[in-house]
Amino acid sequence: TELSRIRNFSIVAHIDHGKSTLADRLIQSTGTVADRDMKEQLLDSMDIERERGITIKANSVRIDYKANDGQDYVLNLIDTPGHVDFAYEVSRSMRAVEGSLLIVDASQGVEAQTLANVYHALDAGHEIVPVLNKIDLPAAEPDRVKAQIEDVIGLDASDAVLISAKSGLGIPDVLEAIVHRLPAPKGDRTAPLKAMLVDSWYDPYLGVVVMVRVMDGVLRKGDRIRMMQTNAVYSVDTLAVLRPQMVAIPELGPGEIGVLTAQIKQVRDTRVGDTITTERKGATEALPGFKPAQPVVFCGLFPVDAADFEDLRDAIEKLALNDASFSYEMETSAALGFGFRCGFLGLLHLEVIRDRLEREYDIDLITTAPSVVYHLYMRDGTVKDLHNPADMPDLTLVDHLEEPRIKATILVPDEYLGDVLKLCQDRRGIQADLSYAGSRAMVVYDLPLNEVVFDFYDRLKSVTKGYASFDYTITGYREDALVKMQVLVNDEPVDALSMMVHRDRAEMRGRAMVEKLKDLIPRHMFKIPIQAAIGGKVIARETLSALRKDVTAKCYGGDATRKRKLLDKQKAGKKKMRQFGKVDIPQEAFISALKMD
Ligand code: GTP
């Protein structure tokens, strides 16, 4: 296709502002998919995405559009993941296109993710067309939101397109705006091939499918290609465009977006952001900006039932085939037995993987507290990464320790501002900025990631009744006084409950933790001391008193079936327990004990 007839774009939006609905409308109104084949939210494929309404994997669709000027255009929409954990993937997808539609819900206005995503688009040098969605809603205030876009983002919104993605109102205007307001791609057909690897996924029938954007040169079916990061060479078996199902095509020229298969064994062999060139007469210089995927949040995953370990291993290996950003290694815990230490791009990523293991593979899991990666500066001059608080070496060997910090942006209605500031302050935050966008405050905080990985987001939602939006980027590492806190139950250390805490907060945390555990651990027939300690020093202690719990006592003798039912229930309850020495600790204690109120 001629460059001047191509438009490549993405849609940037805060969650729920209508990105998927608009994408579906564009696909439908151009006849790309017949009405009868139209399923809701075509671009979100995984169940989990559908259920939670989040788009996890980038995907794309090629749309043919005859514009009002009588010309035929090819529109390539790349769907970007909508969550902070996937910021690098978002930035790569953005580099693959020239423009963006900025969707803002006209009844809600600009949110934290609107900002985060629009910054990615601006970084990538995009032309941006503001689109105000949901103008069918009585609460829509297009003029106010236009002013907000101009104030907060600094984009001219006077020509914003007003639409209702739900009813279809304004969709033709969006298509015309794509053609006339977004630039055509540039590229040199005669130059050596340079194609960016935008995304890849595992398809059970086709193996690894790689999505590419050709920058220069031509990619043909049968070509021998080389991945410039890994230096691996493959030959292109299939070349196709997505409509959104695959339709074979003999070649992709500059500006075009498509997918290829090349007998690549695992998604791990492909690196998002890598440059693909031809094996012979290839490009010598890769496209700029490649970054290897780097897990930032780690946690242990252990089977509740030790007999499920092999199943867990199989499941994790399978998932890893399809997710290059997820890392894992075997871990043994005195408390939990055999399991895996897994690394994730962020908390959502962790949750998605855990859910899939439990749901798709039907494995009951114990998840240990998420931890970040600390840098340990040892007295012998070496520097080590610490992924697991249980591995913290003796303090006398460590000179100092650095932890990752983030820049968090929170948008919140005025009336909840006080609670948000308090929450950030409680989590060792340092306020960096506070400004107003209409009746909403925008707060920027410098926070330690370790205070955020656990339940910050839940707490934020609860103190603001769900009205706050939140986004973050990791800014770097800083030294701080962190120590390892251990928990002892019946005098035995429970390694899965070890955590890194700030020295000044250790006592408060330790106290909260032992109090929680006291409620979470059922009484036994003997007294159980529950302690939090730093090094050898106990900083908090509770004692669970002894009790003989006779569950059948309230059955007034007679009814045998009722009695049996109760006993069965107790047995089932037992299954979700782990034994530590003589003490049974319920599975949920591992997560609940770490939540702070
Ligand atoms: P993520 O995929 O989670 O990022 O969300 P999204 O931005 O793709 O939003 P989605 O398209 O799933 O829309 C969110 C909700 O808003 C859905 O319930 C839609 O039906 C609804 N919605 C989308 N567009 C409109 C609109 O124009 N008017 C109204 N009233 N509702 C809309």
Side-chain angles (χ1 to χ4, degrees):
T1 316
E2 220 180 286
L3 283 166
S4 66
R5 298 292 168 74
I6 302 175
R7 297 293 181 273
N8 298 320
F9 69 104
S10 64
I11 303 180
V12 300
H14 187 73
I15 244 161
D16 275 349
H17 282 199
K19 184 170 81 169
S20 309
T21 311
L22 173 61
D24 288 353
R25 279 279 175 258
L26 295 176
I27 291 168
Q28 199 179 19
S29 70
T30 50
T32 307
V33 175
D35 281 351
R36 72 186 134 76
D37 295 332
M38 201 69 199
K39 278 180 292 182
E40 284 254 314
Q41 309 226 326
L42 267 174
L43 288 183
D44 287 354
S45 51
M46 287 198 292
D47 275 356
I48 276 192
E49 292 184 31
R50 212 167 282 202
E51 239 167 68
R52 298 177 175 222
I54 16 174
T55 310
I56 291 160
K57 266 280 159 206
N59 223 319
S60 92
V61 60
R62 173 161 161 152
I63 298 169
D64 290 328
Y65 173 60
K66 192 179 201 67
N68 293 346
D69 63 8
Q71 308 279 9
D72 289 316
Y73 290 87
V74 168
L75 314 181
N76 288 302
L77 162 61
I78 288 196
D79 189 23
T80 54
H83 193 276
V84 292
D85 288 359
F86 305 95
Y88 173 69
E89 277 74 3
V90 176
S91 81
R92 289 300 89 195
S93 316
M94 297 277 185
R95 296 277 165 190
V97 298
E98 288 73 27
S100 288
L101 302 178
L102 167 67
I103 310 292
V104 182
D105 182 331
S107 68
Q108 303 281 332
V110 172
E111 297 283 352
Q113 282 162 17
T114 317
L115 286 172
N117 288 320
V118 86
Y119 291 145
H120 281 302
L122 290 167
D123 277 352
H126 282 190
E127 200 59 51
I128 296 173
V129 174
V131 176
L132 304 188
N133 189 28
K134 307 198 189 182
I135 57 159
D136 57 295
L137 291 178
E141 296 180 86
D143 289 331
R144 187 183 66 81
V145 175
K146 275 188 196 176
Q148 201 192 19
I149 292 174
E150 298 190 344
D151 285 354
V152 181
I153 308 175
L155 274 180
D156 177 6
S158 54
D159 286 339
V161 186
L162 303 192
I163 67 163
S164 165
K166 196 167 167 181
S167 77
L169 180 81
I171 300 302
D173 301 334
V174 175
L175 288 162
E176 286 296 306
I178 292 168
V179 167
H180 296 295
R181 291 167 62 181
L182 299 184
K186 296 195 180 77
D188 180 357
R189 212 183 150 81
T190 59
L193 176 70
K194 267 190 197 175
M196 184 165 82
L197 196 160
V198 182
D199 190 14
S200 62
W201 59 91
Y202 188 81
D203 180 288
Y205 300 105
L206 301 166
V208 175
V209 179
V210 175
M211 186 164 112
V212 296
R213 153 72 198 262
V214 177
M215 298 295 181
D216 284 320
V218 180
L219 177 64
R220 294 184 179 84
K221 185 179 157 145
D223 274 354
R224 299 277 296 166
I225 52 167
R226 185 164 65 88
M227 310 274 196
M228 294 183 78
Q229 276 296 324
T230 58
N231 261 322
V233 172
Y234 301 96
S235 88
V236 178
D237 292 331
T238 343
L239 199 58
V241 292
L242 298 173
R243 289 181 171 279
Q245 76 286 12
M246 284 169 72
V247 176
I249 194 168
E251 60 165 58
L252 286 174
E256 293 195 282
I257 293 170
V259 295
L260 64 83
T261 67
Q263 310 224 353
I264 302 169
K265 292 282 172 306
Q266 346 179 354
V267 171
R268 265 173 202 282
D269 300 331
T270 63
R271 308 273 157 86
V272 168
D274 197 357
T275 305
I276 297 174
T277 190
T278 43
E279 185 187 17
R280 284 206 243 147
K281 299 198 183 137
T284 46
E285 220 174 289
L287 299 161
F290 172 80
K291 241 175 45 183
Q294 193 108 75
V296 293
V297 175
F298 285 77
C299 80
L301 297 178
F302 294 85
V304 170
D305 183 347
D308 287 341
F309 176 75
E310 288 303 327
D311 289 346
L312 176 61
R313 182 209 296 277
D314 284 350
I316 284 183
E317 280 171 1
K318 280 206 194 98
L319 281 182
L321 284 180
N322 204 8
D323 186 345
S325 49
F326 156 60
S327 73
Y328 64 98
E329 61 183 39
M330 220 181 105
E331 177 181 10
T332 26
S333 151
L336 301 174
F338 291 109
F340 293 91
R341 188 85 192 156
C342 301
F344 307 91
L345 295 175
L347 278 183
L348 174 85
H349 189 210
L350 184 163
E351 244 181 83
V352 167
I353 299 270
R354 189 188 54 205
D355 272 22
R356 294 188 62 189
L357 287 169
E358 292 200 318
R359 265 203 275 193
E360 287 169 33
Y361 298 91
D362 197 22
I363 301 171
D364 281 335
L365 290 173
I366 295 177
T367 317
T368 63
S371 160
V372 300
V373 181
Y374 298 95
H375 292 166
L376 300 180
Y377 289 79
M378 309 299 288
R379 287 211 194 280
D380 65 10
T382 57
V383 184
K384 287 185 186 158
D385 280 355
L386 177 73
H387 293 171
N388 186 350
D391 298 335
M392 178 73 185
D394 197 276
L395 267 183
T396 55
L397 300 173
V398 181
D399 182 70
H400 67 280
L401 184 157
E402 288 182 353
E403 63 173 341
R405 309 276 307 193
I406 61 165
K407 178 181 152 195
T409 305
I410 300 166
L411 267 86
V412 62
D414 215 7
E415 67 250 53
Y416 303 112
L417 179 62
D419 296 312
V420 170
L421 296 181
K422 180 170 182 311
L423 175 66
C424 292
Q425 226 52 53
D426 284 349
R427 301 297 170 92
R428 296 194 282 134
I430 300 165
Q431 192 177 314
D433 195 21
L434 173 60
S435 55
Y436 282 86
S439 64
R440 294 155 58 85
M442 183 167 103
V443 207
V444 180
Y445 257 88
D446 169 13
L447 279 155
L449 182 61
N450 115 330
E451 300 280 348
V452 173
V453 286
F454 203 69
D455 63 346
F456 182 83
Y457 197 39
D458 289 345
R459 294 292 306 149
L460 182 68
K461 274 197 288 199
S462 94
V463 301
T464 62
K465 306 210 165 47
Y467 283 112
S469 60
F470 166 71
D471 202 356
Y472 70 86
T473 46
I474 295 186
T475 47
Y477 273 76
R478 193 186 309 158
E479 182 178 349
D480 219 325
L482 292 153
V483 290
K484 171 177 152 182
M485 184 173 83
Q486 273 195 310
V487 174
L488 299 102
V489 175
N490 206 23
D491 298 322
E492 303 233 18
V494 181
D495 56 0
L497 289 173
S498 298
M499 63 196 295
M500 301 298 297
V501 289
H502 193 272
R503 191 179 292 281
D504 296 345
R505 282 163 199 264
E507 204 174 312
M508 185 191 76
R509 280 269 186 115
R511 176 126 306 286
M513 170 96 96
V514 296
E515 277 167 16
K516 272 253 172 85
L517 282 173
K518 191 184 170 195
D519 290 338
L520 291 163
I521 299 175
R523 292 181 181 193
H524 286 55
M525 280 149 71
F526 44 90
K527 261 199 318 202
I528 303 172
I530 303 170
Q531 299 158 306
I534 292 172
K537 186 169 164 257
V538 173
I539 53 169
R541 179 193 168 105
E542 287 283 336
T543 306
L544 191 61
S545 55
L547 179 80
R548 156 129 225 200
K549 196 171 174 195
D550 186 353
V551 283
T552 58
K554 49 179 175 274
C555 290
Y556 313 105
D559 189 344
T561 47
R562 178 121 188 258
K563 223 181 223 175
R564 184 155 350 100
K565 259 191 203 152
L566 262 173
L567 286 170
D568 283 350
K569 212 164 138 197
Q570 199 191 38
K571 227 162 80 204
K574 267 255 159 59
K575 262 203 211 148
K576 299 232 152 123
M577 303 270 194
R578 298 295 301 209
Q579 249 204 331
F580 297 90
K582 294 188 296 176
V583 181
D584 288 325
I585 303 184
Q587 183 192 343
E588 89 237 10
F590 292 94
I591 284 297
S592 307
L594 296 150
K595 291 205 174 158
M596 291 174 297
D597 299 311

